[in-house]
Amino acid sequence: MPTGLKRYQEAEDFHFITFSCYRREPFLGSPESRSTFETIFEETREKYAFLVLGYVVMPEHVHLLVDEPRSDPLSLALQVLKQRTSRRINRAEARQFWQSRYYDFNVWSGKKSMEKLRYMHRNPVARGLVSRPEDWAWSSFRHYATGERGTVEIESEWTVCRRQMAKLDVQI
């Protein structure tokens, strides 16, 4: 591990994670590659049983706001996510797909969670990819704005309400 890099895991915090494509190349530049990432992200979320508060997939990097898996280290889930994405998108080429490592910021408060969600959701607008956050399909913004279910399950008030309604339907 590089000098000065500290990770605070197993603290039951949410984590704001950022990782980039190798040399910031736009390997996630196509809609198909971003959708592939989302599919693999959801498969990884299910396998490692962690919650997702938000995410955005940009052409050359990804931001995630997640909690820690129930039984495995977060670093293992991220390693699997990156490896599976690289293999599926990068099949024909033997190039390095991801930069090594990832940036991890522990999120200790609801206020900080909201700050990170706003930052993520505004990222495509700030980069000039779209004029409004809802126009970028590869993020959790639409879920928060409308309750829309996307490829990745987002832990939110919408999701909790759906679960409660499903329980009521079963009991009736």
Side-chain angles (χ1 to χ4, degrees):
M1 188 178 317
T3 305
L5 178 62
K6 294 187 191 292
R7 300 210 191 276
Y8 297 97
Q9 295 184 2
E10 298 180 30
E12 299 182 12
D13 290 329
F14 276 86
H15 297 265
F16 176 69
I17 304 290
T18 302
F19 48 91
S20 299
C21 295
Y22 186 63
R23 296 185 176 165
R24 301 278 295 182
E25 290 290 327
F27 296 146
L28 298 168
S30 71
E32 297 80 15
S33 63
R34 290 189 294 272
S35 294
T36 297
F37 178 88
E38 283 182 314
T39 299
I40 295 168
F41 183 34
E42 176 59 14
E43 292 167 0
T44 306
R45 183 201 65 76
E46 288 177 342
K47 178 178 180 173
Y48 289 94
F50 59 86
L51 302 176
V52 176
L53 287 187
Y55 73 96
V56 65
V57 184
M58 301 292 288
E60 72 295 317
H61 71 283
V62 174
H63 295 297
L64 313 174
L65 185 55
V66 299
D67 78 343
E68 297 174 11
R70 304 296 168 252
S71 59
D72 292 296
L74 178 59
S75 59
L76 177 62
L78 294 173
Q79 178 184 11
V80 168
L81 171 62
K82 289 172 75 174
Q83 285 176 345
R84 291 192 64 223
T85 302
S86 175
R87 286 182 186 133
R88 192 156 321 156
I89 294 173
N90 201 22
R91 266 185 227 181
E93 300 178 43
R95 65 181 180 211
Q96 183 172 342
F97 194 88
W98 298 109
Q99 284 291 127
S100 299
R101 310 209 185 277
Y102 59 91
Y103 171 77
D104 179 3
F105 176 88
N106 288 60
V107 177
W108 291 294
S109 70
K111 181 180 177 185
K112 190 56 82 171
S113 292
M114 289 305 299
E115 175 188 309
K116 295 302 183 185
L117 282 170
R118 282 189 190 107
Y119 173 79
M120 282 191 280
H121 293 153
R122 292 177 181 162
N123 207 264
V125 176
R127 291 280 308 284
L129 299 171
V130 291
S131 57
R132 303 173 310 166
E134 58 266 31
D135 295 336
W136 190 251
W138 305 276
S139 85
S140 53
F141 181 84
R142 287 190 225 178
H143 174 81
Y144 281 100
T146 67
E148 177 182 306
R149 289 184 192 189
T151 303
V152 179
E153 181 179 282
I154 304 301
E155 192 65 21
S156 71
E157 291 179 11
W158 293 102
T159 312
V160 170
C161 184
R162 272 193 207 100
R163 283 189 202 121
Q164 290 172 343
M165 294 303 288
K167 284 181 185 178
L168 289 175
D169 287 343
V170 170
Q171 294 172 0
I172 295 177

